[in-house]
Amino acid sequence: MPQTKWRNPEKIPLTADTVKLNQWLSQEEARVKASIDEDGISVASWRELAQVTLAQTILFNRRRPGEMQFLRVVDYASQTATPLSHHDEIAGSLSLAQKMAMSRLTLVMTRGKRDRGVPVLLKMNVVESIDVLIENRRAVGVDAGNPYIFTCGADNPERLTATKLRKHLATLSQLLNLTQSEF
C-alpha cells in the first residue's frame, strides 16, 4: 500500500457544514409538511418529503444509503408499535443521558450488508414524516406491491443498490468512452 494514502489525514466534514445541512433538511421538511397541510398531497410533495426524510435518517444514523432505502413498510409498522423503552437489554446498557434521549426516539431494525440486522434510530419528526409517506402511498400512485417506504417508482427497486449502481455507472462510462473503432 502506498504510504501517501495512509499517511494523509482523512478530511471529514466541518461541524459547521454538518449543522447547516441538518438545519436545511429540517427547514425543508417543515416547508414540505406545511405545503401538504395547505394544498394536500401531490406526487412532487410526496417525493420531496421522502427525499428529505431519507437524508435526515441517513445523516442521523450514519448509515449506508442502501440500509435505509430498503426499509420495508411492514417492518416499520410492526417495529414502531413497540416503544424503544421496551427493549430492556438495550435500555440496561445505556447511560442516563442516553436513556433520556431514548424517550424521544424510535428503534427500527432494517436489513444491512450480508443480511445483518441494522438498528436505526428515528426522531419523532422523522416518524411523523414516514407515517405521512405510508398513509399517502396509494394517493400518489405507489404500486401496492412495492414493499419499501422510500420508493422511487422503479420497476425493480431491489436492483437499485449503491454497489450495483456504482458498477453499472463505471461500465456505462467505459462504454461511452470507447472510440468507433473499438466497437
Side-chain angles (χ1 to χ4, degrees):
M1 176 187 323
Q3 289 184 0
T4 55
K5 185 172 183 173
W6 59 266
R7 281 192 176 171
N8 287 339
E10 185 176 341
K11 294 180 180 171
I12 60 173
L14 297 174
T15 302
D17 290 340
T18 306
V19 167
K20 287 177 186 175
L21 175 60
N22 195 36
Q23 289 172 340
W24 182 81
L25 289 170
S26 294
Q27 291 167 355
E28 283 297 296
E29 177 193 29
R31 181 189 63 76
V32 173
K33 282 181 176 176
S35 169
I36 291 170
D37 288 343
E38 271 183 35
D39 306 327
I41 195 79
S42 68
V43 173
S45 61
W46 191 93
R47 280 204 174 129
E48 280 185 88
L49 185 60
Q51 291 170 349
V52 168
T53 305
L54 178 59
Q56 286 178 316
T57 307
I58 292 168
L59 182 65
F60 186 72
N61 286 279
R62 290 181 36 185
R63 293 284 171 221
R64 290 181 174 88
E67 292 170 347
M68 296 313 313
Q69 77 186 41
F70 291 122
L71 180 58
R72 297 177 342 144
V73 173
V74 68
D75 295 335
Y76 171 82
S78 67
Q79 294 178 48
T80 54
T82 305
L84 186 56
S85 59
H86 288 116
H87 296 276
D88 294 333
E89 71 280 358
I90 295 173
S93 66
L94 299 176
S95 70
L96 180 59
Q98 290 170 324
K99 286 178 184 176
M100 290 174 63
M102 188 170 71
S103 65
R104 299 178 300 123
L105 301 172
T106 300
L107 173 66
V108 176
M109 297 295 287
T110 188
R111 181 181 60 85
K113 211 171 178 182
R114 296 187 183 106
D115 289 329
R116 294 185 177 134
V118 176
V120 177
L121 293 172
L122 303 173
K123 298 183 294 181
M124 282 189 261
N125 64 305
V126 170
V127 169
E128 291 168 5
S129 294
I130 291 174
D131 290 344
V132 169
L133 294 171
I134 292 172
E135 289 166 12
N136 291 287
R137 288 167 61 90
R138 177 178 278 165
V140 297
V142 174
D143 180 19
N146 188 326
Y148 306 112
I149 292 172
F150 302 107
T151 180
C152 62
D155 292 332
N156 298 295
E158 68 281 353
R159 295 182 187 173
L160 293 176
T161 65
T163 302
K164 287 179 183 175
L165 283 172
R166 189 180 72 242
K167 290 177 181 178
H168 182 65
L169 287 174
T171 302
L172 282 177
S173 177
Q174 292 165 1
L175 289 174
L176 292 172
N177 284 298
L178 293 176
T179 62
Q180 286 292 66
S181 62
E182 293 174 321
F183 278 108

